Amino acid sequence: ELFAGFYSQVFLSLSATTPHSHIGHFSAQAAWLPSALAFAPTVLTSVGCQVLVAGMAEFKCVVDQNNKATELPLWRIGGSVQQNPHMRAFWASTISFFLAFLGWFALAPLALDVASSMGICENQKFPPADWPKQAAYLKFKNLKSDLFYCQYGKNDEKAPTDCNPVPDDIANAPTCSDTVTVPGCVDAAAQQKYRPEELAACVCTGGTECKDVIANAGVASVASTIFVRIALGTLLERFGPVNVQTGLMIYGGFWVALAAAITAPWNYTLIRFFIGCAGATFVTNQFW
């Protein structure tokens, strides 16, 4: 096809720029064209195709005519870049993608510990001994013990303002102790309407500043990756997936390390925003 296209263009160009009296001469000169075309497949087969087949045979994976792998041998990772580009790309993109997402969501399960270190937990700002009627306490239930902060329930299910008082029969009963074992005595804990010991180390339920800070930081983390994913289309076409993925990993790793310096809600939100850029590795992974 290469030979046919080339010589056909030459013949047409000469015919268009040459007097008709000479066209017969060029026609006679082109009489050898069929034999050249017959020879062309032999040339292509003996030269170009052998090189292509030889190059394809060097791959560790079975490939199609476009040199794309048609199998997925997960543990076939040996060979050079030229011999095994398919599995090297597969594992490099997969592992880097996993590490990037590990860093992206690293702070999410540690949110309560980070909130405690920032001092924004509800029971840090409002100690239960001084503020027993905080709404966050009145609605609190300890998931481990399955017990409520309000021992005898709250005065309103939707918008409580206090816990229900201790029933009279329990409040007026004698208190049991090591020395008092009279019939009908009750434990001292049963005569309290609040259970501050059931509160978590960091109360961070809905309606608290702590919950708002964690939620806003999560939104910032997702928002940043949206803008970066849009920009990656151009960056990938220009610099390639290896360079882009490396840049994202280094950038994300820097901010993950800097998370150890979080001291306040504003830098917690800011660092989560920058870490969110690592979530854009999803695009690089698919392109790679």
Side-chain angles (χ1 to χ4, degrees):
E1 291 180 359
L2 292 175
F3 277 96
F6 174 73
Y7 285 109
S8 296
Q9 291 297 325
V10 172
F11 182 72
L12 291 174
S13 299
L14 291 174
S15 299
T17 57
T18 306
H20 292 285
S21 59
H22 295 162
I23 292 179
H25 173 71
F26 287 116
S27 300
Q29 293 290 332
W32 55 272
L33 183 58
S35 60
L37 295 178
F39 177 68
T42 304
V43 175
L44 291 174
T45 302
S46 61
V47 180
C49 292
Q50 285 185 4
V51 173
L52 179 60
V53 173
M56 293 172 64
E58 293 295 328
F59 291 136
K60 295 290 184 179
C61 297
V62 178
V63 298
D64 59 13
Q65 65 273 17
N66 296 318
N67 287 345
K68 293 185 177 181
T70 58
E71 59 177 351
L72 186 63
L74 295 178
W75 304 117
R76 195 180 301 168
I77 57 178
S80 63
V81 177
Q82 292 75 21
Q83 294 174 330
N84 196 12
H86 307 91
M87 297 313 300
R88 289 169 66 97
F90 173 82
W91 282 115
S93 60
T94 300
I95 294 174
S96 61
F97 178 62
F98 173 80
L99 292 176
F101 266 65
L102 183 65
W104 188 18
F105 295 110
L107 288 176
L110 301 175
L112 292 181
D113 294 315
V114 176
S116 180
S117 69
M118 291 187 293
I120 61 173
C121 300
E122 193 74 358
N123 44 348
Q124 289 177 314
K125 299 179 61 179
F126 305 99
D130 301 326
W131 305 81
K133 299 180 182 181
Q134 281 296 110
Y137 304 155
L138 301 179
K139 300 177 181 180
F140 190 85
K141 178 182 179 181
N142 191 311
L143 297 180
K144 292 183 178 180
S145 63
D146 204 33
L147 296 176
F148 289 91
Y149 170 78
C150 291
Q151 185 164 200
Y152 299 102
K154 45 189 180 288
N155 59 7
D156 188 281
E157 289 297 324
K158 294 183 178 180
T161 57
D162 197 1
C163 295
N164 290 329
V166 180
D168 293 339
D169 58 334
I170 297 177
N172 298 326
T175 304
C176 297
S177 65
D178 295 337
T179 58
V180 179
T181 57
V182 297
C185 68
V186 297
D187 293 333
Q191 294 179 321
Q192 305 295 324
K193 67 177 181 178
Y194 304 119
R195 288 186 180 134
E197 68 277 3
E198 296 300 330
L199 295 175
C202 178
V203 177
C204 193
T205 55
T208 63
E209 179 190 359
C210 173
K211 186 67 173 181
D212 292 340
V213 169
I214 292 177
N216 292 336
V219 172
S221 178
V222 175
S224 61
T225 191
I226 295 175
F227 296 106
V228 177
R229 289 186 183 192
I230 295 174
L232 280 188
T234 302
L235 295 176
L236 285 169
E237 292 290 350
R238 181 169 183 177
F239 300 107
V242 177
N243 295 326
V244 172
Q245 189 83 327
T246 301
L248 285 174
M249 294 291 292
I250 294 174
Y251 182 81
F254 169 78
W255 288 106
V256 170
L258 202 63
I262 292 174
T263 57
W266 70 268
N267 53 39
Y268 171 68
T269 303
L270 187 67
I271 287 177
R272 287 215 63 185
F273 176 83
F274 289 126
I275 291 177
C277 297
T281 52
F282 171 81
V283 179
T284 310
N285 174 269
Q286 297 302 305
F287 184 92
W288 202 346

